[in-house]
Amino acid sequence: MKLETLRDLLVEELQDLYDAEHQIIEALPKMKRAAHSDKLKKSFQEHLDVTRQQVSRLEQVFELMDQKPKRKACKAMKGLIKEGEDMIEEEADRDVKDAGLIAAAQRVEHYEIAAYGTAMAYAKQIGLDQAIKLMSQTLEEEKATDEKLSQLAESTINVKAAQ
Ligand code: FE
Ligand code: FE
Ligand code: FE
């Protein structure tokens, strides 16, 4: 389909995000299993729960735009998750592996922060106020998760991994 307007591009961006969030739901349980730190396991579990709500918010945004929710393969997320899986497989000291898992997870959050930021800018241009509200909730969750991972790394995990 030819993209005629910013609205068409927004729909495509949402389909990319919808696929990305689904990939994350599949990946997080593996990240949780591979993590050693209880705090890190808990943080992956919490983000899994939050991500399920993010999927449902995207479905609401599709509905607001009279679109059926559809996944368009997010190749970047596939690559980011593959890097996480490589870290899971890597032979490493447990604290060092935890640090590596955090690094992989933060790359995922940063991709999402960029993508939701763009989608919200398009929604703003088009005047989709309700969609902006929904996506800003998600964006705040992604940012909070990123912050939390930095905090966990810098306060504990990187410290242990350095020894
Ligand atoms: Fe997400
Ligand atoms: Fe993508
Ligand atoms: Fe996220």
Side-chain angles (χ1 to χ4, degrees), residues 33-90:
R33 272 199 299 278
H36 170 71
S37 149
D38 284 337
K39 279 187 184 165
L40 185 55
K41 280 182 188 286
K42 191 168 161 254
S43 146
F44 286 145
Q45 179 61 51
E46 281 171 6
H47 202 56
L48 176 59
D49 300 335
V50 155
T51 301
R52 291 200 181 101
Q53 296 170 45
Q54 295 176 346
V55 164
S56 111
R57 271 187 217 120
L58 282 173
E59 287 164 355
Q60 294 172 60
V61 174
F62 280 118
E63 183 161 2
L64 285 167
M65 298 185 75
D66 293 314
Q67 297 286 321
K68 279 213 182 90
K70 198 181 128 192
R71 290 172 68 163
K72 177 178 185 287
C74 177
K75 297 183 186 105
M77 190 54 68
K78 199 171 173 207
L80 291 173
I81 286 174
K82 180 75 178 72
E83 288 190 3
E85 284 170 354
D86 290 349
M87 184 50 64
I88 290 172
E89 301 288 314
E90 197 126 18

Side-chain angles (χ1 to χ4, degrees), residues 5-158:
T5 64
L6 198 63
R7 192 181 202 279
D8 298 339
L9 186 57
L10 173 57
V11 170
E12 205 170 81
E13 295 283 356
L14 291 167
Q15 292 170 344
D16 179 280
L17 268 167
Y18 193 55
D19 182 69
E21 297 286 20
H22 277 95
Q23 291 189 52
I24 293 165
I25 286 174
E26 275 181 53
L28 279 169
K30 298 179 209 165
M31 298 285 279
K32 181 185 167 186
R33 272 199 299 278
H36 170 71
S37 149
D38 284 337
K39 279 187 184 165
L40 185 55
K41 280 182 188 286
K42 191 168 161 254
S43 146
F44 286 145
Q45 179 61 51
E46 281 171 6
H47 202 56
L48 176 59
D49 300 335
V50 155
T51 301
R52 291 200 181 101
Q53 296 170 45
Q54 295 176 346
V55 164
S56 111
R57 271 187 217 120
L58 282 173
E59 287 164 355
Q60 294 172 60
V61 174
F62 280 118
E63 183 161 2
L64 285 167
M65 298 185 75
D66 293 314
Q67 297 286 321
K68 279 213 182 90
K70 198 181 128 192
R71 290 172 68 163
K72 177 178 185 287
C74 177
K75 297 183 186 105
M77 190 54 68
K78 199 171 173 207
L80 291 173
I81 286 174
K82 180 75 178 72
E83 288 190 3
E85 284 170 354
D86 290 349
M87 184 50 64
I88 290 172
E89 301 288 314
E90 197 126 18
E91 217 180 305
D93 168 86
R94 61 198 195 184
D95 300 317
V96 173
K97 180 169 287 198
D98 277 358
L101 294 174
I102 290 177
Q106 287 193 283
R107 282 178 171 82
V108 168
E109 295 316 310
H110 281 238
Y111 179 89
E112 295 185 281
I113 289 165
Y116 278 107
T118 297
M120 283 173 64
Y122 295 171
K124 195 172 175 191
Q125 182 59 44
I126 301 164
L128 297 169
D129 294 347
Q130 193 54 36
I132 294 169
K133 245 185 211 168
L134 288 161
M135 289 191 283
S136 78
Q137 276 178 276
T138 296
L139 180 60
E140 287 314 308
E141 289 167 356
E142 311 296 20
K143 285 183 183 168
T145 300
D146 179 51
E147 282 287 315
K148 205 179 156 187
L149 288 169
S150 283
Q151 225 265 323
L152 184 56
E154 286 166 26
S155 69
T156 330
I157 289 174
N158 291 355

